[in-house]
């Protein structure tokens, strides 16, 4: 960072630290670009103010990790001093790192929050160069140095300083006190800024190592001086920080500590007015300190997963599937996904939030990471914890980052593989999940070309093989039951299961015991548009185009059809002339057995059901005339006198009946009723 050093005393800042000389207060002006960056971070990078706690706690944790790492080769850094329970230097130094931690103190009266750590701390120059800078952060430089030596040893180190300025989301002024481990007490540093463009730096006396940040809250953020609010934020973002995060016990918070979190000079007096000097200040750890997903699979019980899932989703039921995966190599990350037993209430809400959280080195980044999971798997809940991503992750970063794309691809394959395994090993459980999420998974056939073959093996449908609405038939099941002569997988679409199973198009198939898939989900129309073939078998609608019925007919049957076609030609031509404005063609039907007529879409037209779906969602559907097929064997058709005065009425009636059988609504119902009554009496 570049600043203009004015080196002038600040009359507004008073130094209360002990020093033999009057300290010099330096006032620095942020470079124009840095001021713009600060505004961007405050107003754009962070959309939720509470993340300031996440950032400061994350920085504090990283500072302690850095100290622990450097102390491996320099034990004196830990022997420098060590905080007591109140966060101040002890009289006896400790030579281990067990006392590393983070302390948070709140002052509701003064509306302030203090976060202190006993980590590595910073020197005067490091404060000026590194604090809050994205372009050059202290830890970034540290990582570069360590990567040249032992890259495997520094995987726990975060990017210190990246989110420091998130303090100004809630602060009217921020004071930072710090001293680098291993430096004299007289080389402490005090940094103060209100975020408006300048900050002051001065050298102060500081007995303890580490960093202390005092945030004076602005008028809109006073809630963050309340204990319950801070605890809830820590539980959400930082519960898994490995270091203990401590707060004063509730009864002592207001009267045992000053605004800086240290013990008051006069302990609270009892009724006799005597100070309670021997009563220790009691702190309590408020984080669990362990990320469940970072443990080995064998060390996590089903009960552990159920409790974590409940805390993650507020779902009272245990998850149906738990998918825990650790990836190591060029990329390192952990994924933990849960499939709820019941579909979330907002599964079909277009504005619903996704359920995948993003962590970076156990630091919570986002709880709606849409780029980590495709839309058709939006019911999955869980998280991804990466060691490779930076902490300052923006929405644009997630959309354009190759590592995010790789994690997404691998996560999708893992979830689909678990579904496939479940379908093979526990049919009943898979069918229960399909009932909840089948319509959503079908969307994957449209959205996810890369995994289309895998998803095609997972999809389930209703069919004429079983007379029930349950979608339990796979495409593999269908193929195993196909006659040797059958060339296609047949299906019919409708707006409901009852309409599909009652379709007149099914009649010839039922008569010849040929299975037909009954598709009644709205998404099915798009599914069959994208899944046109499976295992070298084409998918064929029985309500579109000509049917190749060679597999159903013998030689004698074909000869008989030709004779009927010749005999019925006058009636067909009559119907064409009467219905020329309503139909594309009229022809004799090979598919009808019990019904007198049906409507068929041309091979490349949308079909009536698809038209109705598009109209229902407010989209314009291309208008295409259907084809009317009539059954020459039906008694009603046989009795029509092609030269009689009622021939026109019969043509219109058979057209309207066929439309009703498809689930369409008539444009003029009263005219249909009058026509039918005339023919009944006539």
């Amino acid at each position: 960072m570049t600043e203009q050093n004015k080196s002038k005393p600040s009359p507004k800042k008073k130094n209360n630290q002990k020093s033999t000389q009057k300290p010099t207060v330096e006032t620095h002006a942020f470079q124009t670009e840095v001021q713009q960056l600060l505004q961007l971070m405050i107003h754009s990078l962070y959309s939720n103010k509470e993340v300031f706690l996440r950032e400061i706690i994350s920085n504090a944790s990283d500072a302690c990790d850095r100290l622990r790492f450097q102390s491996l080769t320099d034990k004196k850094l830990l022997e420098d001093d060590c905080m007591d329970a109140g966060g101040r230097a002890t009289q006896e130094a400790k030579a281990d790192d067990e006392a590393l931690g983070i302390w948070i103190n709140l002052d509701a009266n003064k509306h302030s929050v203090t976060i202190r750590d006993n980590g590595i701390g910073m020197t005067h120059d490091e404060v000026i160069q590194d604090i809050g800078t994205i372009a050059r952060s202290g830890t970034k430089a540290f990582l570069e140095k360590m990567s040249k030596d032992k890259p495997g040893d520094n995987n726990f180190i975060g990017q210190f300083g990246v989110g420091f300025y998130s303090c100004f989301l809630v602060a009217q002024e921020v004071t930072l006190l710090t001293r680098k481990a291993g430096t004299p007490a007289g080389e402490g540093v005090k940094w103060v800024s209100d975020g408006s463009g300048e900050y002051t730096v001065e050298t102060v006396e500081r007995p303890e190592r580490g960093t202390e940040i005092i945030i004076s809250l602005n008028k809109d953020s006073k809630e963050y001086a309340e204990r319950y609010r801070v605890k809830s934020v820590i539980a959400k973002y930082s519960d898994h920080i490995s270091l203990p995060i401590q707060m004063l016990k509730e009864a002592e918070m207001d009267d045992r500590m000053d605004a800086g979190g240290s013990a008051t000079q006069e302990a609270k007096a009892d009724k006799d007015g005597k100070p309670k000097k021997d009563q220790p200040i009691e702190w309590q750890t408020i984080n669990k300190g362990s990320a469940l997903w970072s443990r080995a699979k064998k060390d996590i019980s089903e009960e552990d997963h159920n409790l974590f899932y409940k805390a993650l989703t507020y779902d009272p039921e245990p998850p149906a599937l738990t998918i825990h995966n650790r990836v190591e190599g060029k990329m390192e990350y952990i994924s933990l996904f849960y499939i709820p037993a019941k579909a979330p209430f907002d599964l079909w809400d277009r504005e619903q939030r996704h359920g995948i959280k993003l962590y970076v080195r156990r630091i919570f980044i986002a709880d709606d990471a849409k780029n980590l999971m495709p839309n058709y798997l939006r019911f999955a809940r869980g998280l991804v914890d990466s060691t490779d991503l930076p902490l300052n992750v923006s929405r644009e970063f997630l959309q354009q980052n190759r590592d995010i794309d790789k994690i997404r691809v691998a996560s999708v394959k893992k979830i689909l593989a678990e579904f496939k395994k479940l379908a093979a090993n526990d049919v009943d459980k898979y069918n229960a999940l399909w009932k909840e999420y089948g319509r959503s998974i079908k969307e994957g056939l449209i959205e996810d070309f890369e995994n289309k073959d895998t998803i095609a093996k997972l999809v389930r449908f209703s069919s004429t093989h079983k007379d029930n609405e349950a979608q339990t038939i796979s495409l593999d099941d269908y193929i195993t039951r196909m006659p040797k002569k059958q060339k296609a997988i047949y299906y019919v679409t409708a707006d409901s299961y009852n309409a599909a199973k009652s379709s007149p198009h099914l009649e010839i198939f039922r008569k010849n015991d040929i299975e037909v898939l009954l598709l009644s989900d709205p998404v099915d129309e798009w599914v069959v548009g994208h899944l046109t073939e499976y295992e070298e078998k084409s998918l064929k609608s029985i309500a579109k185009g000509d049917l190749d019925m060679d597999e159903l007919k013998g030689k004698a049957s074909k000869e008989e059809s030709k004779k009927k076609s010749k005999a019925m030609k006058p009636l067909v031509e009559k119907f064409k002339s009467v219905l020329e404005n309503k139909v594309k063609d009229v022809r004799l039907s090979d598919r009808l057995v019990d019904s007198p007529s049906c409507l068929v879409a041309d091979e490349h037209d949308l079909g009536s059901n698809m038209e109705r779906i598009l109209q229902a969602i407010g989209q314009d559907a291309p208008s295409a005339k259907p084809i009317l097929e009539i059954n020459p064997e039906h008694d009603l058709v046989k009795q029509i006198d092609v030269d009689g005065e009622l021939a026109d009425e019969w043509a219109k009636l058979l057209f309207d009946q066929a439309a009703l059988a498809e689930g369409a609504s008539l444009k003029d119902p009263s005219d249909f009723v009058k026509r039918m009554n005339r023919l009944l009496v006539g």
Side-chain angles (χ1 to χ4, degrees):
M1 188 193 308
T2 304
E3 305 90 0
Q4 297 171 354
N5 188 340
K6 300 181 181 179
S7 299
K8 65 179 182 181
S10 173
K12 297 182 180 179
K13 309 298 178 186
K14 294 183 179 180
N15 178 30
N16 296 321
Q17 304 290 334
K18 295 180 180 179
S19 178
T20 55
Q21 296 181 350
K22 186 176 180 179
T24 301
V25 179
E26 305 168 6
T27 300
H28 297 259
F30 295 122
Q31 193 177 24
T32 303
E33 290 79 3
V34 178
Q35 294 184 42
Q36 294 171 347
L37 178 61
L38 175 59
Q39 292 302 310
L40 177 65
M41 291 187 68
I42 293 175
H43 299 294
S44 301
L45 183 58
Y46 298 101
S47 58
N48 189 355
K49 292 197 298 183
E50 66 186 21
V51 299
F52 84 94
L53 267 175
R54 178 197 78 184
E55 293 296 328
I56 301 306
I57 291 173
S58 171
N59 289 348
S61 175
D62 289 340
C64 291
D65 284 340
R66 291 182 65 194
L67 176 61
R68 184 187 289 119
F69 182 80
Q70 293 190 14
S71 68
L72 295 176
T73 55
D74 188 358
K75 286 291 184 182
K76 292 181 180 179
L77 294 177
L78 284 174
E79 295 171 356
D80 168 42
D81 58 57
C82 200
M83 291 187 182
D84 61 14
R88 293 296 177 180
T90 56
Q91 297 298 318
E92 299 179 1
K94 298 179 181 179
D96 57 60
D97 64 322
E98 292 180 0
L100 290 174
I102 302 166
W103 291 265
I104 299 177
N105 190 56
L106 312 174
D107 191 326
N109 294 324
K110 295 184 178 179
H111 310 302
S112 70
V113 180
T114 300
I115 302 102
R116 180 188 297 112
D117 67 72
N118 57 350
I120 191 68
M122 290 177 283
T123 65
H124 177 277
D125 290 344
E126 286 174 339
V127 168
I128 293 178
Q129 292 174 349
D130 300 334
I131 190 68
T133 306
I134 290 180
R136 186 189 187 284
S137 70
T139 301
K140 182 179 179 182
F142 180 78
L143 279 171
E144 290 174 353
K145 179 180 181 298
M146 291 297 106
S147 63
K148 296 175 182 177
D149 299 328
K150 297 179 181 180
D153 291 338
N154 58 9
N155 58 1
F156 54 80
I157 302 171
Q159 293 186 336
F160 183 82
V162 167
F164 171 77
Y165 281 126
S166 63
C167 288
F168 290 101
L169 288 166
V170 298
Q172 62 182 1
E173 184 179 82
V174 176
T175 300
L176 179 143
L177 299 168
T178 186
R179 179 171 68 81
K180 185 72 172 279
T183 62
E187 294 186 9
V189 183
K190 182 178 182 181
W191 179 99
V192 181
S193 177
D194 61 5
S196 62
E198 290 187 345
Y199 62 88
T200 63
V201 180
E202 61 181 294
T203 300
V204 296
E205 186 81 18
R206 184 169 173 81
E208 61 277 6
R209 69 163 186 262
T211 302
E212 176 179 340
I213 298 173
I214 304 170
I215 302 170
S216 297
L217 299 168
N218 59 40
K219 62 180 181 180
D220 296 325
S221 306
K222 295 178 181 179
E223 62 186 284
Y224 296 105
E226 301 294 335
R227 180 184 179 86
Y228 79 92
R229 184 71 173 96
V230 171
K231 286 188 68 176
S232 68
V233 174
I234 291 172
K236 179 179 180 180
Y237 292 101
S238 308
D239 201 41
H240 48 272
I241 293 290
S242 58
L243 296 168
I245 302 174
Q246 300 190 60
M247 291 179 67
L248 279 172
K249 285 193 173 180
E250 196 165 6
E252 301 191 38
M253 207 171 75
D254 293 331
D255 49 32
R256 301 293 300 178
M257 305 294 289
D258 60 19
S262 58
T264 55
Q265 294 300 315
E266 296 180 2
K268 184 181 178 183
D270 59 18
K271 293 180 181 179
D272 298 326
K274 297 178 181 178
K276 298 180 180 179
K277 294 181 180 179
D278 298 331
Q279 182 177 344
I281 297 170
E282 293 189 49
W283 293 76
Q284 62 180 157
T285 301
I286 58 174
N287 65 316
K288 293 179 181 177
S290 174
L292 176 135
W293 60 88
S294 64
R295 305 180 207 162
K297 289 184 183 180
K298 61 182 178 62
D299 296 332
I300 309 175
S301 67
E302 183 178 355
E303 183 180 2
D304 289 336
H305 274 301
N306 291 344
L307 289 173
F308 182 72
Y309 170 77
K310 185 175 182 180
L312 191 72
T313 65
Y314 304 101
D315 185 352
E317 292 190 42
L321 273 180
T322 298
I323 306 167
H324 190 190
N325 189 39
R326 183 186 296 270
V327 175
E328 296 177 337
K330 290 184 179 180
M331 287 182 61
E332 293 188 7
Y333 66 90
I334 300 170
S335 62
L336 176 57
F337 302 126
Y338 298 103
I339 307 301
K342 298 293 181 182
F345 73 93
D346 58 353
L347 183 62
W348 303 109
D349 181 358
R350 291 183 180 182
E351 302 301 323
Q352 61 89 29
R353 298 174 67 83
H354 286 52
I356 305 302
K357 299 177 182 291
L358 174 63
Y359 288 80
V360 176
R361 293 181 292 280
R362 301 191 307 276
I363 305 303
F364 180 84
I365 300 298
D367 61 358
D368 186 25
K370 295 180 180 179
N371 300 87
L372 286 171
M373 196 62 61
N375 194 54
Y376 73 94
L377 294 179
R378 57 188 174 274
F379 52 83
R381 299 291 182 259
L383 58 91
V384 170
D385 186 356
S386 170
T387 61
D388 301 315
L389 298 174
L391 287 174
N392 56 326
V393 174
S394 66
R395 184 176 302 173
E396 291 74 18
F397 179 92
L398 291 176
Q399 292 173 345
Q400 300 170 6
N401 185 263
R402 290 183 179 179
D403 287 344
I404 290 290
D405 293 338
K406 290 177 182 177
I407 292 172
R408 171 191 169 113
V409 169
S411 297
V412 170
K413 289 185 181 298
K414 187 68 178 176
I415 291 177
L416 294 180
E418 289 297 321
F419 273 124
K420 186 177 179 180
K421 187 188 301 182
L422 183 66
N425 299 330
D426 193 337
V427 174
D428 291 340
K429 187 173 182 180
Y430 181 78
N431 287 340
L433 279 182
W434 181 261
K435 184 178 179 181
E436 298 293 325
Y437 306 116
R439 286 170 59 191
S440 181
I441 294 174
K442 285 178 182 178
E443 295 173 13
L445 291 169
I446 306 163
E447 299 175 6
D448 191 351
F449 179 81
E450 182 179 352
N451 293 298
K452 187 166 75 170
D453 292 342
T454 301
I455 300 170
K457 288 189 174 294
L458 296 176
V459 294
R460 299 291 184 266
F461 303 100
S462 304
S463 87
T464 55
H465 180 69
K466 293 183 178 180
D467 269 335
N468 60 64
E469 192 173 352
Q471 297 183 9
T472 58
I473 307 299
S474 71
L475 294 175
D476 287 326
D477 294 336
Y478 183 100
I479 289 175
T480 60
R481 292 189 288 266
M482 285 174 59
K484 290 184 179 180
K485 286 186 177 181
Q486 186 175 335
K487 300 175 183 178
I489 299 171
Y490 292 113
Y491 68 86
V492 63
T493 59
D495 57 5
S496 69
Y497 169 75
N498 287 331
K501 76 171 185 177
S502 303
S503 171
H505 302 94
L506 288 171
E507 293 172 0
I508 191 66
F509 295 91
R510 289 190 185 277
K511 181 180 178 179
N512 290 275
D513 197 26
I514 292 181
E515 185 174 0
V516 178
L517 300 176
L518 306 176
L519 311 184
S520 56
D521 289 336
V523 71
D524 287 336
E525 286 283 2
W526 282 273
V527 166
V528 294
H530 287 75
L531 185 67
T532 57
E533 185 179 280
Y534 181 78
E535 298 292 340
E536 300 183 350
K537 303 287 185 182
S538 62
L539 271 71
K540 172 70 176 174
S541 170
I542 64 171
K544 293 180 74 173
D546 290 319
L547 286 179
D548 182 3
M549 306 304 287
D550 290 345
E551 59 214 52
L552 305 178
K553 294 181 178 180
K555 189 173 182 180
S557 180
K558 293 178 184 178
E559 292 296 326
E560 188 178 346
S561 293
K562 289 181 180 179
K563 291 179 181 179
K564 287 179 182 176
S565 178
K566 186 176 181 180
M568 298 295 292
K569 185 175 181 180
L571 182 65
V572 170
E573 293 299 327
K574 178 66 174 179
F575 275 32
K576 283 183 181 179
S577 65
V578 174
L579 301 172
E580 63 178 347
N581 294 325
K582 294 184 177 181
V583 299
K584 181 180 290 186
D585 194 10
V586 178
R587 66 193 181 198
L588 298 185
S589 180
D590 285 327
R591 64 190 99 207
L592 295 176
V593 176
D594 300 317
S595 300
S597 63
C598 70
L599 294 178
V600 178
D602 203 358
E603 188 69 41
H604 303 292
D605 290 342
L606 286 180
S608 58
N609 188 53
M610 185 62 162
E611 287 184 19
R612 289 192 293 273
I613 291 173
L614 291 174
Q615 290 168 2
I617 60 177
Q619 293 189 17
D620 293 330
S623 180
K625 295 178 181 179
I627 297 168
L628 177 66
E629 289 191 355
I630 55 177
N631 180 4
E633 296 297 318
H634 197 279
D635 290 340
L636 192 152
V637 174
K638 288 180 179 179
Q639 73 174 17
I640 297 174
D641 182 1
V642 69
D643 297 319
E645 61 180 14
L646 295 178
D648 290 8
E649 296 293 295
W650 280 115
K652 294 174 182 177
L653 181 70
L654 290 182
F655 176 83
D656 287 345
Q657 281 186 342
L660 287 172
E662 290 227 330
S665 57
L666 300 179
K667 293 182 178 179
D668 192 347
S670 63
D671 187 53
F672 168 78
V673 173
K674 291 175 183 178
R675 180 178 298 114
M676 186 175 63
N677 289 338
R678 283 196 301 270
L679 292 171
L680 286 173
V681 298

